[in-house]
Amino acid sequence: MKALVAIKRVLDYNVKARPNDQGDAVELANCKMSMNPFCEIAVEEAIRLKTKGAIDEVIVVSIGSAKCEEQIRSALALGADRGIHVQTDVDLSSLSVAKVLKQVAQNEGADIVLLGKQAIDSDNNQTGQMLAALMDCAQFTFASEVNIDGQNVEVTREVDTGSETLKGQVPVVITTDLRLNKPRFAKLPDIMKAKKKPLEKMTLSEFGVDESSTVSVLEVMAPAKRSAGVKVADVDELINKLKNEAKVIA
Amino acid sequence: MSTLVIADVQQGKLDGATAKLISAVQKISGEVHLLVVSFNENALTQAKGLSGLDKIIGVTHVGFEHPTAEIMAPLIVSVASEYSHIVANTSTQGKNLLPRVAALLDTQQVSDVIEIISDDTFKRSFYAGNVIAKVQVSSAKKILTIRATVFNPVAAGSCDDVKILDYEPGESKVSFVSAQISESTRPELTSASIVISGGRGLQNGENFVLLEKVADKLGAAIGASRAAVDAGFVSNDLQVGQTGKIVAPDLYIAVGISGAIQHLAGMKDSKVIVAINKDPDAPIFQVADYGLVADLFDVLPELESKL
């Protein structure tokens, strides 16, 4: 059994995004970039499944600029076995990413594909579901618990009404939610070892996937700013303001 | 061409967000059709009482008791040719289903639309709500998830044009094992007019009782920060934030919540925000209309007794 984990390089979650001066994109110059936190959870889960003996090999793949190698090396340091870097400087749509991942999954004979449920930059929450559609396989999105027994996969998912448990058989696509696990930190010797792990470089042109997008960004803007209000001294004043000024309680 | 709205159906009942979705798409030219898929007739009956619809398409089949994306997507694809726009709510159902539909139709999706400007131009929120993008879609079909909470619902009305589709779901690649549904007598979090949320400052799950007592007085829904959910104080379906639920009530009361950007993304469109926190430097105060710097363990009982 093989697991393929797709990871994305994004603006670090501690950095507050803002529009660039031209107002046509988000300012990324000189900003700290990191692995998408949901992807870290996906990598961690794959490593744990390998430790449990449910899978034999963990392959990480990232699609993006030359610098994505940093994030692939991070995943290798955490315990992934080898990496694949599909290089492109184009910011691909989720659909195009899913098309590339489908080919990678096929080439590698992946039984389980793990992805973060969403990237914290685009906030799209699409790629895993699209990949499952293209692979014509089961999708387990927003996973909070994964159990694998041979070919059988059982996943508990976080949903708006609580949670639900579904089961199916490989191949499957799983997207990870926050509470699936707590990712480990890489240890220094592992970071050194990761430099020697195999990393295959490919180019987007090898996949024949359309780079163009049917969604064009006309403008990027900051949301309407909320100004800080007033401090109230005590509960009485708070209730008075809510009743008589804001008129939101009776 | 027309717009197809996919109704959220929870345990056979029409979700309140559906009326907001119908209202959101009125700006798009052409007719508005609502697809209601369920295992019983209840949701369909509810849908007939909504205004703003030109037609309802009903599919009732016992196989849809658990409407997984694997069985729902082919159904939507089978009717898709008639529509220029296919929309669903930014709920876990919509988020799970619509990208699968989009990929089967070889069409990109625009997620989490917060404003419809014209038939092909939309505003969406991304980067945890810190940035808004205005996007234009050139594909023949527009596939959108819409953040229903930012739209007002359509009024009650009636739609008599109901087409019952005889559709048998195919073999599913997943099967249902169990569900752990959070039962609550309080208003639903995403549609409540008042929400009171607790964070790490509550210290443990038992202390949420203090919050519940105030919520009962106000008829409010209970929410929580990610920190409170991660710590196991309350269940995941209460999480408000970038990756949890996005709410926009008339009144949002944040108690013992510091206000990480990921939390603010889920509540900063609330009309009035109250923050109660003993740390005067907590970022939550920067978005609060009314801030009370005090110990929540003093404030909550006092609020309960004085409301």
Side-chain angles (χ1 to χ4, degrees):
Chain A
M1 290 265 283
K2 280 188 192 178
L4 179 70
V5 187
I7 61 172
K8 186 176 183 186
R9 174 185 170 89
V10 299
L11 184 66
D12 185 85
Y13 78 101
N14 282 311
V15 179
K16 190 175 175 192
R18 59 182 176 85
N20 64 7
D21 293 340
Q22 297 78 39
D24 60 4
V26 169
E27 183 60 68
L28 294 177
N30 304 317
C31 289
K32 186 184 178 200
M33 305 293 282
S34 302
M35 194 192 307
N36 177 40
F38 288 96
C39 301
E40 287 181 337
I41 296 171
V43 170
E44 176 67 32
E45 193 63 19
I47 295 164
R48 290 187 190 192
L49 289 169
K50 189 183 168 189
T51 308
K52 282 185 204 160
I55 53 172
D56 308 305
E57 190 182 24
V58 178
I59 308 155
V60 288
V61 57
S62 192
I63 303 166
S65 70
K67 288 189 170 168
C68 290
E69 187 176 333
E70 291 168 20
Q71 279 65 45
I72 298 175
R73 292 285 175 203
S74 307
L76 296 174
L78 293 169
D81 296 297
R82 60 189 170 90
I84 298 169
H85 183 184
V86 180
Q87 289 196 55
T88 174
D89 288 324
V90 179
D91 190 10
L92 292 179
S93 70
S94 300
L95 183 59
S96 295
V97 169
K99 287 176 179 176
V100 173
L101 291 178
K102 181 199 174 190
Q103 292 185 40
V104 174
Q106 242 164 11
N107 296 344
E108 297 295 336
D111 303 285
I112 296 166
V113 186
L114 283 150
L115 306 90
K117 77 166 178 178
Q118 75 192 70
I120 60 162
D121 54 356
S122 64
D123 278 341
N124 272 331
N125 199 327
Q126 298 176 1
T127 306
Q129 295 88 314
M130 288 179 161
L131 175 62
L134 300 176
M135 289 173 64
D136 191 23
C137 74
Q139 68 183 52
F140 299 100
T141 51
F142 326 142
S144 61
E145 193 182 336
V146 174
N147 288 302
I148 294 176
D149 181 12
Q151 309 284 301
N152 301 312
V153 179
E154 191 171 293
V155 175
T156 300
R157 314 173 51 230
E158 292 195 358
V159 293
D160 288 339
T161 49
S163 60
E164 68 172 18
T165 305
L166 302 173
K167 63 179 180 182
Q169 286 206 319
V170 296
V172 298
V173 172
I174 299 171
T175 77
T176 57
D177 215 319
L178 289 170
R179 282 163 285 275
L180 178 58
N181 60 49
K182 205 169 178 328
R184 70 195 69 191
F185 293 101
K187 297 190 191 85
L188 188 61
D190 294 331
I191 295 171
M192 302 310 288
K193 266 188 255 169
K195 291 181 179 164
K196 297 205 178 93
K197 286 189 178 175
L199 200 174
E200 184 184 355
K201 304 256 186 191
M202 305 183 79
T203 59
L204 187 60
S205 56
E206 293 172 56
F207 293 87
V209 168
D210 193 1
E211 293 181 0
S212 64
S213 173
T214 55
V215 178
S216 48
V217 176
L218 302 180
E219 192 186 343
V220 169
M221 60 205 105
K225 208 169 153 56
R226 238 196 134 93
S227 48
V230 295
K231 291 265 166 54
V232 293
D234 52 29
V235 170
D236 290 327
E237 190 187 350
L238 177 63
I239 292 175
N240 180 37
K241 293 267 191 196
L242 292 178
K243 273 188 182 163
N244 302 316
E245 192 174 271
K247 297 187 171 48
V248 283
I249 58 173
Chain B
M1 293 296 268
S2 311
T3 297
L4 181 68
V5 177
I6 302 163
D8 261 4
V9 177
Q10 306 278 13
Q11 286 87 48
K13 290 198 204 88
L14 196 68
D15 191 86
T18 306
K20 298 178 179 180
L21 284 181
I22 296 166
S23 143
V25 300
Q26 297 297 320
K27 257 201 174 169
I28 300 172
S29 42
E31 295 190 349
V32 178
H33 297 183
L34 180 71
L35 176 67
V36 182
V37 182
S38 184
F39 61 96
N40 64 25
E41 302 275 341
N42 296 348
L44 199 56
T45 308
Q46 287 174 283
K48 287 178 196 169
L50 294 172
S51 64
L53 291 172
D54 297 288
K55 191 194 267 188
I56 297 170
I57 301 166
V59 178
T60 306
H61 191 287
V62 67
F64 286 111
E65 185 171 358
H66 304 291
T68 60
E70 289 82 349
I71 56 172
M72 285 287 288
L75 162 59
I76 293 158
V77 169
S78 75
V79 298
S81 63
E82 292 177 44
Y83 297 99
S84 57
H85 294 71
I86 300 176
V87 310
N89 186 18
T90 311
S91 57
T92 49
Q93 258 185 27
K95 288 189 282 195
N96 184 47
L97 169 62
L98 209 60
R100 191 165 179 119
V101 173
L104 293 176
L105 294 170
D106 197 23
T107 303
Q108 284 173 234
Q109 174 185 310
V110 179
S111 291
D112 211 12
V113 168
I114 54 170
E115 188 183 336
I116 291 167
I117 296 169
S118 69
D119 285 0
D120 67 356
T121 308
F122 315 99
K123 276 190 188 171
R124 68 172 299 253
S125 160
F126 63 143
Y127 281 93
N130 286 307
V131 198
I132 309 289
K134 190 201 271 187
V135 299
Q136 188 169 34
V137 182
S138 63
S139 54
K141 256 187 224 319
K142 278 76 175 169
I143 300 182
L144 321 169
T145 56
I146 295 178
R147 187 186 295 180
T149 49
V150 299
F151 296 92
N152 292 317
V154 288
S158 73
C159 177
D160 302 324
D161 189 356
V162 180
K163 178 179 160 191
I164 300 296
L165 202 64
D166 191 14
Y167 183 94
E168 180 124 354
E171 182 105 2
S172 179
K173 290 187 158 56
V174 295
S175 49
F176 177 81
V177 178
S178 62
Q180 300 79 43
I181 296 163
S182 302
E183 299 287 353
S184 172
T185 51
R186 293 200 177 77
E188 201 274 317
L189 184 53
T190 55
S191 57
S193 56
I194 302 178
V195 174
I196 179 164
S197 287
R200 204 197 304 267
L202 268 292
Q203 295 179 0
N204 59 47
E206 289 74 56
N207 287 336
F208 263 75
V209 172
L210 300 170
L211 216 59
E212 287 165 8
K213 286 178 178 169
V214 177
D216 289 341
K217 283 281 177 82
L218 291 169
I222 300 268
S225 69
R226 177 190 168 185
V229 178
D230 280 359
F233 299 174
V234 288
S235 63
N236 62 274
D237 49 292
L238 298 189
Q239 186 181 327
V240 172
Q242 178 186 17
T243 67
K245 287 179 181 166
I246 295 180
V247 302
D250 294 333
L251 173 61
Y252 187 90
I253 306 174
V255 182
I257 292 176
S258 63
I261 52 175
Q262 290 79 9
H263 184 75
L264 301 185
M267 45 66 81
K268 66 182 177 176
D269 290 328
S270 305
K271 288 185 188 73
V272 174
I273 297 173
V274 170
I276 299 167
N277 202 305
K278 65 180 175 188
D279 174 10
D281 299 321
I284 191 79
F285 287 118
Q286 291 165 19
V287 299
D289 299 283
Y290 303 110
L292 178 54
V293 181
D295 189 333
L296 65 93
F297 293 105
D298 300 327
V299 171
L300 288 175
E302 193 182 343
L303 255 182
E304 188 211 338
S305 69
K306 289 182 174 169
L307 280 169

